[in-house]
Amino acid sequence: MATSTSKVQCVTCAKDKGTVQCHGCSQSFCFKHLTDHRQQLNQQFDEIEMTRDLFRQTLTEYSNNLQKHLLIKEIDRWEQDSINLIRKTAEEARQHMHKHTTEHLSKMEKKLNDLTKQLKEGREDDDFVEIDLQQWNQQLTQMNEELMKPTNIKVKQSSTPLIRMINVEIFDKDLSSYNNIDLLFVEMTNISANTKWMQNGVTVAGGHGKGNGLNQLNNPISMCIDENQTIYVADYNNHRIVEWKKGATIGRIVADGNGQGDRNDQLHRPISVVVDEKTDSLIISDYDNRRIMRWSRQNGTSGQVIISGVRSYGIAMDSEGYLYVSDCEKSEVRRWKVGDKSGEVVAGGNGGGNQFDQLNGPYGVFVDKNHSVYVVDTGNHRVMKWVKGAREGIVVAGGQGQGNSLSQLNCPYGVVVDQLGSVYVADQCNHRIMRWCVDSREGNVIVGGNGGGQGTNQLHWPLSLLFDEENNLYVVDRSNHRIQKFNIDVK
């Protein structure tokens, strides 16, 4: 520990004495204070051993009872919350059933009373024939069937999940990879290849003509939706982002509202918006200002520029918080981490063209759980998939030239991909939403496709699409200045 030197000042008593230097702290101590220093070190050593013993005790407790682990308790809370939600939903269903069953029984009682009155009059007047008896008997049979199996009350189980799936992510530093373990959830979260949607949509935002009122939109371009089914709309020509809560008849301006401009409290033709749940903010592509902004959802009065010099039609965010930004001028998609200066090209980047390593006017972007990037290659009338790290993309929808057959697209815009890998595309100029299953050469129309128009079964220049947690489909119906919701068909 120590070596002797000539007389040097002791660090403790500040006197020139015969000292010893401690190799650990490189300080000199006289013989008297060296003993004190040594005792302090021994005391610290004893404290470390005591802490070690306490940790060993805790480790043993965890080993003997894994349920004490804090993350296990978090899973337990998820389980209890899920059970509570199921019980609450079941109780609501029971109450709904009780209410309508009571009304149904009341109607049956009235029918029985009417029949009883007819029978009484027939008996008293002795005025009935065979056909009367047949009719009364038929009424009783129908009433009995309706009582036992009413046609106006049904109990249906949705094919969509009731609760959120829980997922455990384990990062192994040695393998530099993630291991994902899917735990118990109520039902499959995948949309099956046979899933259908109601063909008549309902308007959930806008729909009152083109305008700047709070119940209006003016050429909306894209939208996003949060866990509460609150919709955020990029209201392009009104230079604002509008929030529409579930069931609301008017919206609320949550970004800009200060008129067209390039100040940080203004937007100029916002074209894309996503929700960042972790920071409780909106990420906005401010198209004509050539920038990406972050805007707080908590009454934010201005935004923060996080990426400059990019004219982007589409932005997406992965589970790690990385942004994927399509650049229509450079025909590429870049992956950005907050604070990056230039980002990383993950699709295209080889000039505009129709080769597999090129894009021509990339619009919508989607990123799956494997960090594969799906890009709507609008100028080439196709959707491309770029596996993480790939130099080239593969065509997953369209790619057979511009057209309206089931193997073609016409200026597609937005894209979403489900857990099965099926690709959903807003086929803009064909006024339809299409689904392309994995490895399929043709897609199928799931909504729209009835010509451009204002009908509930029509779309007019659909641009963006997404699904909520119940797998209902939402579509930005641009030229109708509305957002349409197509409920999942549970039949």
Side-chain angles (χ1 to χ4, degrees), residues 177-197:
S177 64
Y178 277 98
N179 296 313
N180 292 324
I181 304 172
D182 291 338
L183 299 182
L184 178 68
F185 55 96
V186 171
E187 290 183 313
M188 292 293 291
T189 59
N190 293 336
I191 300 173
S192 78
N194 297 319
T195 300
K196 295 181 180 180
W197 287 263

Side-chain angles (χ1 to χ4, degrees), residues 49-87:
E49 284 191 323
M50 185 181 300
T51 303
R52 185 273 319 275
D53 292 340
L54 289 173
F55 178 76
R56 182 179 297 281
Q57 181 179 348
T58 302
L59 179 61
T60 301
E61 290 177 358
Y62 272 124
S63 298
N64 293 334
N65 188 358
L66 293 177
Q67 296 303 318
K68 288 187 175 182
H69 197 290
L70 291 177
L71 294 180
I72 294 291
K73 290 182 178 179
E74 188 172 330
I75 295 172
D76 291 343
R77 283 196 299 274
W78 168 85
E79 178 185 31
Q80 191 58 52
D81 290 344
S82 300
I83 291 171
N84 291 341
L85 176 59
I86 292 170
R87 286 175 174 166

Side-chain angles (χ1 to χ4, degrees), residues 349-376:
N350 296 298
N354 61 5
Q355 302 301 308
F356 291 139
D357 64 345
Q358 293 179 306
L359 298 168
N360 182 10
Y363 280 20
V365 181
F366 182 88
V367 185
D368 68 16
K369 63 181 180 180
N370 298 316
H371 299 101
S372 293
V373 181
Y374 295 78
V375 188
V376 179

Side-chain angles (χ1 to χ4, degrees), residues 258-275:
N258 298 304
Q260 168 188 331
D262 61 1
R263 300 194 312 259
N264 281 0
D265 64 343
Q266 293 177 306
L267 298 169
H268 190 184
R269 291 188 173 143
I271 208 164
S272 189
V273 58
V274 298
V275 174

Side-chain angles (χ1 to χ4, degrees), residues 105-122:
L105 293 177
S106 177
K107 292 177 181 177
M108 295 300 301
E109 182 73 27
K110 184 176 183 303
K111 288 183 179 181
L112 180 60
N113 290 338
D114 290 342
L115 178 59
T116 300
K117 182 179 179 182
Q118 293 176 35
L119 294 175
K120 181 179 179 182
E121 291 174 351

Side-chain angles (χ1 to χ4, degrees), residues 9-60:
Q9 191 178 70
C10 171
V11 71
T12 302
C13 63
K15 295 180 180 179
D16 293 334
K17 294 183 177 181
T19 58
V20 176
Q21 186 182 51
C22 174
H23 289 304
C25 62
S26 300
Q27 293 181 322
S28 299
F29 297 90
C30 65
F31 296 111
K32 175 184 176 183
H33 292 114
L34 177 63
T35 301
D36 295 340
H37 181 58
R38 183 66 183 178
Q39 288 177 344
Q40 291 174 356
L41 294 179
N42 283 329
Q43 184 177 356
Q44 292 174 16
F45 191 95
D46 292 341
E47 291 174 355
I48 290 173
E49 284 191 323
M50 185 181 300
T51 303
R52 185 273 319 275
D53 292 340
L54 289 173
F55 178 76
R56 182 179 297 281
Q57 181 179 348
T58 302
L59 179 61
T60 301

